[in-house]
Amino acid sequence: MSVKLDQTGSSVFAEVAVVALSKAEEAAARECFQVYDLHETGFIPREDLAELIAEQQWCLDPARTQSIVDARVGEEEFVSLDQFLAIYKAILAKQPSAVRKQKTSKKSAVAPTRIDIQDLRELEGFQRAAFEELDVEGNGFLGMEQLKEVLRLMGIPDSDGDDYDRTLASQMQQGMLKKEGYVNFEEFLQYRNAVIARFVEQSKKDAYEEHTEPE
């Protein structure tokens, strides 16, 4: 994975290029769009786009998702299919291939796409590159603030809005993380997985509450 500096000089991860959507990915994206294109006009209201994206449960920070949408839709009130495909493609660009395959397999009732060893290696490489970028001393450890910065750079959602502190405290209480203030790569993966699990749990809870609210 390539790394570059933004305008402030901060290190950020360059977006992984996606040359084109696969046939399965494009079919999944079109199917999502058609659910909201009730009158088959080729356009959906912009306010419906946020709900459509939320339903996909991408593990991407809302601020980054919004920047992707703004860059491709601007101030327009309606979103075309082509614009949505561009948004879908841009979000996929921030997902490792293993995640992309999982997403496609959920949409395929005929031949689910398997994640192979190469995908797993790429996923680990993606995470290790993020870890090593902030391991400035090269000793194989990150401090808590560096750990949080890696999660932010990777676009991992902060479900509780507390800079990941709640999940960090929970992991320490369970003995999953040490209290010395530093984590190695394996401990970083444990924490990252816990943050993602928290995000999925909160997303399911929010979706349940939304559908059970009295009209």
Side-chain angles (χ1 to χ4, degrees):
M1 171 175 294
S2 59
V3 178
K4 63 183 180 181
L5 297 179
D6 63 13
Q7 293 178 350
T8 65
S10 300
S11 177
V12 295
F13 294 97
E15 185 174 289
V16 180
V18 176
V19 176
L21 295 175
S22 69
K23 290 183 178 180
E25 289 169 342
E26 182 171 342
R30 288 178 179 273
E31 181 181 339
C32 292
F33 187 88
Q34 289 167 359
V35 170
Y36 283 81
D37 184 12
L38 301 178
H39 302 290
E40 299 182 355
T41 62
F43 292 86
I44 61 173
R46 180 167 182 151
E47 56 265 25
D48 288 351
L49 178 63
E51 182 178 344
L52 192 164
I53 292 175
E55 286 182 349
Q56 304 310 303
Q57 296 187 342
W58 295 111
C59 193
L60 188 64
D61 184 83
R64 292 197 174 194
T65 301
Q66 189 60 51
S67 68
I68 289 173
V69 172
D70 290 343
R72 290 156 181 82
V73 180
E75 300 295 329
E76 298 177 31
E77 296 182 1
F78 291 88
V79 181
S80 70
L81 174 58
D82 287 343
Q83 287 173 319
F84 174 70
L85 290 176
I87 291 168
Y88 195 92
K89 175 179 174 180
I91 293 177
L92 277 183
K94 294 185 177 295
Q95 313 294 318
S97 63
V99 176
R100 293 177 62 183
K101 282 194 174 184
Q102 284 181 321
K103 197 66 179 176
T104 303
S105 66
K106 292 178 181 178
K107 295 293 182 179
S108 174
V110 179
T113 308
R114 297 183 60 186
I115 297 174
D116 56 30
I117 189 64
Q118 183 60 37
D119 295 320
L120 295 177
R121 286 174 177 169
E122 180 180 329
L123 179 57
E124 181 178 349
F126 177 85
Q127 296 169 128
R128 189 173 290 278
F131 183 92
E132 292 178 351
E133 168 61 16
L134 288 182
D135 179 18
V136 293
E137 296 182 1
N139 59 8
F141 289 88
L142 294 182
M144 291 298 118
E145 292 306 314
Q146 291 172 311
L147 183 151
K148 294 176 184 178
E149 181 64 14
V150 170
L151 295 174
R152 284 191 289 267
L153 291 173
M154 294 178 69
I156 305 298
D158 178 15
S159 301
D160 299 304
D162 62 355
D163 203 20
Y164 311 104
D165 283 337
R166 176 175 176 175
T167 306
L168 175 60
S170 175
Q171 290 295 100
M172 284 186 171
Q173 289 176 355
Q174 296 175 42
M176 300 297 290
L177 292 180
K178 301 172 183 176
K179 298 183 180 180
E180 288 83 352
Y182 293 90
V183 295
N184 60 26
F185 181 65
E186 287 71 25
E187 291 168 330
F188 161 70
L189 292 182
Q190 290 177 346
Y191 183 49
R192 174 188 177 277
N193 291 341
V195 171
I196 293 176
R198 172 63 181 160
F199 167 71
V200 173
E201 175 189 357
Q202 188 62 44
S203 297
K204 290 180 178 179
K205 180 180 178 181
D206 292 344
Y208 174 79
E209 293 177 350
E210 180 179 344
H211 286 87
T212 55
E213 286 182 356
E215 297 182 357

